[in-house]
Amino acid sequence: QVRLVESGGGLVQPGGSLRLSCAASGSIFSAMGWYRQAPGKQRELVASITRGGSINYADSVKGRFTISRDNAKNTVFLQMNSLKPEDTAVYYCHAQGVVPVMYDYWGQGTQVTVSS
């Protein structure tokens, strides 16, 4: 029943921008965010945001990426500016359910490629 649908990935040149969207449905979520996984590396947190608005960013994206959330629509966005080749990865939407379940849900991922 729970679905996370991602969109917005693609190919951009270094210094370019992309905006990722994730529309979640089927539950209420305490937190939503974005993870990424590059070839040969583990999945890592990019940014997260709670229903109360608390935000956390990976050090590597601070000042370049902005996460936002529409609680009413259970939708989370990731505005990515000043993209670098090292940002290339599959980006996954993540959502955590509220008490008492607090399950973790994942989208299928969207490819972001930064290359000249």
Side-chain angles (χ1 to χ4, degrees):
Q1 191 75 6
V2 172
R3 293 184 64 201
L4 277 64
V5 181
E6 301 143 327
S7 62
L11 173 65
V12 297
Q13 293 185 336
S17 298
L18 285 173
R19 189 173 193 243
L20 305 183
S21 299
C22 175
S25 62
S27 184
I28 303 297
F29 305 103
S30 62
M32 297 183 68
W34 295 92
Y35 289 70
R36 68 186 181 187
Q37 187 166 21
K41 294 190 175 184
Q42 291 188 321
R43 189 174 299 186
E44 64 175 351
L45 174 70
V46 177
S48 64
I49 184 169
T50 69
R51 289 185 61 85
S54 297
I55 294 173
N56 186 40
Y57 293 104
D59 289 340
S60 60
V61 307
K62 287 180 179 177
R64 300 188 298 121
F65 291 10
T66 302
I67 190 170
S68 60
R69 178 176 179 175
D70 184 338
N71 287 331
K73 297 182 178 180
N74 283 338
T75 301
V76 66
F77 307 93
L78 186 68
Q79 179 66 45
M80 304 185 294
N81 298 325
S82 301
L83 283 162
K84 305 175 181 179
E86 50 263 45
D87 295 317
T88 296
V90 177
Y91 284 70
Y92 297 91
C93 183
H94 169 262
Q96 184 175 45
V98 298
V99 174
V101 179
M102 297 189 70
Y103 288 156
D104 290 318
Y105 304 98
W106 295 92
Q108 290 187 311
T110 184
Q111 178 70 47
V112 172
T113 302
V114 185
S115 177
S116 60

